[in-house]
């Protein structure tokens, strides 16, 4: 019975160790260092715990044992100084040094790709200053290269964290912080805001898409293009609605008269896998649902529902879906 209990407890505890946001499943050199530090801390903590429990039992069964002639136990002081002062100082100093090394060791280079990420309630503005690219909630990087992420925030404090790629860093209004990320293998890695920032903090996610350099370059080349021209009359009506309706008050679509940068850039919105900062997959149904009633999907976000008729909604969706 006890064995079954231990087994069940182990399954429950260890089931939290996998998944696509686990620091124990690192896919980059920085995340690997964080995971190594975690395992060392676990081993040290376990050793100290077992030693203390062992000493506890030793003390319990030692009661009544023979003492020195004068009744004292001269070795106690040595044990207390060694176990209570010297050992902790050595362990904590060692861990402190190892933590500093984990935080600072990285293969940074001056000509590394630089990406600027700004946190907003509750989404991520993503810019590639050298490539003249602006997107949202999705960061593309070439695999096998350290990438510099310069983070800031517009409203409140957020925190940038891709657990499988490296440690986390706070995004503070008015201050630029730098975090490096690197992916060892192609894949899609989920990132999460790691500082409580309001009612939709939990739904403030993003994805890092790591691909081979040639695929990354192709992505950049596509993102640099202006928005595609409407190819049908439905798409044409959708574009007119964006420019003349409420969308252009907050969103930019490069190549049109919608130029406001308050909200996410929509120039290539159809190329993104997710909507509403990692909240819902980007497909026709979700896109229409999101535009029709954003507050239902993500209560408290800053996007208002616009008074659109069903035909207008379909026109709008048809145009946005064409923006690959
Ligand atoms: Cu942004 Cu939590």
């Amino acid at each position: 019975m006890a064995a079954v209990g231990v087994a069940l407890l182990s399954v429950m505890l260890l089931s939290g160790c996998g998944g696509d946001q686990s620091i124990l499943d690192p896919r980059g050199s920085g995340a690997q260092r964080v995971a190594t530090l975690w395992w060392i801390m676990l081993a040290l903590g376990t050793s100290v715990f077992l030693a203390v429990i062992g000493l506890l039992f030793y003390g319990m069964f030692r009661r009544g044992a023979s003492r020195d002639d004068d009744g004292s136990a001269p070795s106690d002081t040595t044990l207390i100084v060694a176990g209570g002062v010297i050992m902790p100082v050595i362990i904590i100093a060692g861990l402190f040094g190892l933590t500093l090394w984990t935080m600072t060791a990285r293969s940074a280079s001056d000509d590394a790709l630089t990406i600027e990420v700004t946190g907003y309630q509750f989404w991520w503005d993503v810019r590639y200053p050298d490539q003249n690219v602006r997107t949202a909630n999705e960061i593309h990087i070439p695999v096998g290269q350290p990438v510099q992420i310069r983070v800031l925030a517009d409203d409140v404090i957020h925190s940038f964290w891709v657990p499988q790629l490296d440690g986390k860093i706070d995004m503070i209004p008015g201050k630029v912080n730098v975090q490096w990320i690197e992916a060892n293998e192609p894949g899609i890695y989920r990132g999460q805001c790691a500082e409580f920032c309001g009612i939709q903090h939990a739904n403030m996610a993003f994805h890092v898409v790591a691909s081979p350099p040639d695929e990354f370059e192709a992505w950049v080349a596509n993102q640099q293009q202006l928005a595609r021209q409407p190819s049908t009359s439905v798409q044409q009506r959708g574009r007119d609605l964006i420019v003349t309706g409420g969308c252009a008050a907050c969103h930019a679509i490069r190549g049109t008269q919608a130029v406001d940068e308050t909200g996410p850039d929509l120039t290539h919105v159809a190329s993104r896998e997710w909507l509403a900062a990692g909240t819902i997959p980007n497909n026709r149904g979700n896109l229409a649902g999101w535009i029709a009633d954003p507050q239902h999907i993500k209560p408290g976000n800053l996007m208002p529902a616009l008074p659109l008729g069903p035909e207008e909604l379909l026109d709008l969706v048809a145009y946005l879906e064409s923006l690959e």
Side-chain angles (χ1 to χ4, degrees):
M1 208 48 219
V4 174
V6 169
L8 277 176
L9 193 64
S10 305
V11 168
M12 280 162 63
L13 287 174
L14 293 174
S15 61
C17 298
D20 58 2
Q21 283 194 170
S22 172
I23 65 155
L24 299 183
D25 186 15
R27 301 297 170 89
S29 52
Q32 183 63 60
R33 283 190 293 272
V34 173
T36 303
L37 176 65
W38 189 91
W39 284 110
I40 290 172
M41 290 175 85
L42 178 71
L44 277 172
T46 307
S47 308
V48 169
F49 174 75
L50 291 177
V52 168
I53 295 297
L55 286 170
L56 186 68
F57 275 94
Y58 172 72
M60 282 163 64
F61 291 111
R62 182 169 168 262
R63 274 178 78 184
S66 62
R67 300 270 169 137
D68 286 359
D69 291 343
D70 59 0
S72 70
S75 60
D76 283 0
T77 312
T78 319
L79 201 61
I80 289 170
V81 171
V85 179
I86 297 175
M87 278 258 294
V89 166
I90 291 174
I91 291 175
I92 290 171
L95 281 180
F96 181 62
L98 204 57
T99 304
L100 287 184
W101 175 79
T102 302
M103 289 167 67
T104 52
R106 55 187 86 263
S107 45
S109 65
D110 289 340
D111 57 351
L113 173 67
T114 297
I115 306 173
E116 287 177 6
V117 182
T118 307
Y120 291 83
Q121 288 169 317
F122 302 93
W123 62 283
W124 314 79
D125 188 50
V126 179
R127 290 170 197 257
Y128 295 66
D130 298 331
Q131 286 74 19
N132 196 23
V133 163
R134 179 175 181 240
T135 181
N137 306 324
E138 195 173 287
I139 298 171
H140 284 243
I141 61 171
V143 85
Q145 293 177 24
V147 175
Q148 188 187 48
I149 310 283
R150 296 165 63 82
V151 302
L152 40 129
D154 184 71
D155 35 37
V156 299
I157 299 177
H158 304 271
S159 185
F160 178 96
W161 192 27
V162 194
Q164 288 187 293
L165 300 186
D166 212 313
K168 73 178 77 147
I169 187 123
D170 277 353
M171 314 171 89
I172 297 167
K175 176 173 172 30
V176 177
N177 279 337
V178 174
Q179 173 72 55
W180 290 78
I181 60 172
E182 180 179 1
N184 292 340
E185 50 188 273
I188 300 177
Y189 304 99
R190 192 174 191 274
Q192 169 70 44
C193 180
E195 178 71 43
F196 182 74
C197 54
I199 190 169
Q200 288 298 335
H201 158 70
N203 282 328
M204 184 168 167
F206 61 100
H207 290 83
V208 175
V209 181
S211 36
D214 53 335
E215 276 179 40
F216 169 73
E217 292 301 335
W219 177 83
V220 169
N222 183 59
Q223 297 290 318
Q224 287 170 331
Q225 304 295 316
L226 298 178
R228 294 190 184 186
Q229 291 298 319
S231 59
T232 66
S233 57
V234 180
Q235 292 175 7
Q236 179 71 55
R237 288 202 301 272
R239 189 179 72 170
D240 293 347
L241 265 174
I242 292 215
V243 173
T244 58
C247 307
C250 294
H251 294 283
I253 299 180
R254 278 175 287 122
T256 73
Q257 285 144 302
V259 292
D260 196 275
E261 297 196 347
T262 307
D265 186 291
L266 300 179
T267 310
H268 298 284
V269 65
S271 73
R272 305 205 279 261
E273 291 289 324
W274 296 80
L275 294 170
T279 306
I280 46 176
N282 187 1
N283 56 44
R284 166 167 282 214
N286 281 341
L287 184 57
W290 173 249
I291 297 167
D293 193 357
Q295 296 302 319
H296 176 76
I297 290 171
K298 205 167 162 177
N301 85 85
L302 291 182
M303 173 145 158
L306 297 175
L308 293 167
E311 288 297 326
E312 290 174 317
L313 184 59
L314 288 176
D315 293 347
L316 211 54
V317 168
Y319 174 60
L320 290 173
E321 273 195 316
S322 76
L323 298 178
E324 289 275 334

